[in-house]
Structures are given as C-alpha cells and as structure tokens.
Amino acid sequence: MDAGIIAAAAGDRSRFVQLVELVAPKMKAYLIHHGLAPAVAEELAVEAMIEVWRRAAAFDPSKQRGYVWMIQRLRDVAVRDGRGRALTTAQS
C-alpha cells in the first residue's frame, strides 16, 4: 500500500486506481463497523480516497504504514463531514 500512495504522489493514476480497488472496500467496512449506514460509508470512503490522492505527497513511509495513514485520512473526512462522530474515539 505504501508504494501505491507513493505512486499517487508521483501522479500515477493507474496505480492509484489499483489502490482504491484494494482499500476503499476496507474503508467502507471500517465505517460500517463503527455504525455508519452502508451508503454513507461508501460516500465517505470515496471522499477519503480523493483526500489520499490530494495529500499523497505528504505521506512519509518512515513515520507510519500506508494503511494507517489512509485510515487517518478517512477518519478526518468522516469527522469533518459530521457523520463520523463515532470515530472520534475509535482506534485504528
């Protein structure tokens, strides 16, 4: 996953699509597990992956794993959106 984020930072859209296909369903499941409706979870997962694309250059694999970094982006998006209140105390 780290390589996919790094590729996204370099503008590699095809690698990013592969990353989305791998991670977005996991993000959706994470949100559903924390009580969000499936449709809301899917919408927020998509928004989070857009955030991952936009902020990929800020990812530092020496500081944390890519999946953890992406879940943090997901939580940020959900909380900012106002529908992820349950995530403010959730641990990844």
Side-chain angles (χ1 to χ4, degrees):
M1 288 186 206
D2 293 7
I5 300 169
I6 293 167
D12 187 335
R13 291 176 188 250
S14 64
R15 287 287 303 276
F16 184 69
V17 168
Q18 292 173 347
L19 183 65
V20 169
E21 291 170 351
L22 176 67
V23 177
K26 294 177 183 186
M27 288 181 163
K28 180 180 175 182
Y30 176 86
L31 292 172
I32 291 169
H33 175 76
H34 287 285
L36 277 73
V40 172
E42 185 167 349
E43 180 183 336
L44 293 176
V46 169
E47 290 179 30
M49 291 308 298
I50 292 168
E51 182 89 0
V52 167
W53 172 260
R54 289 180 180 154
R55 296 190 56 198
F59 171 64
D60 183 350
S62 70
K63 293 185 179 178
Q64 66 187 151
R65 294 185 346 232
Y67 185 71
V68 173
W69 184 82
M70 288 186 285
I71 290 296
Q72 287 177 335
R73 303 294 69 77
L74 174 64
R75 291 174 67 190
D76 292 347
V77 165
V79 170
R80 258 195 328 262
D81 181 80
R83 294 181 278 185
R85 287 183 198 88
L87 301 177
T88 58
T89 58
Q91 298 297 314
S92 39

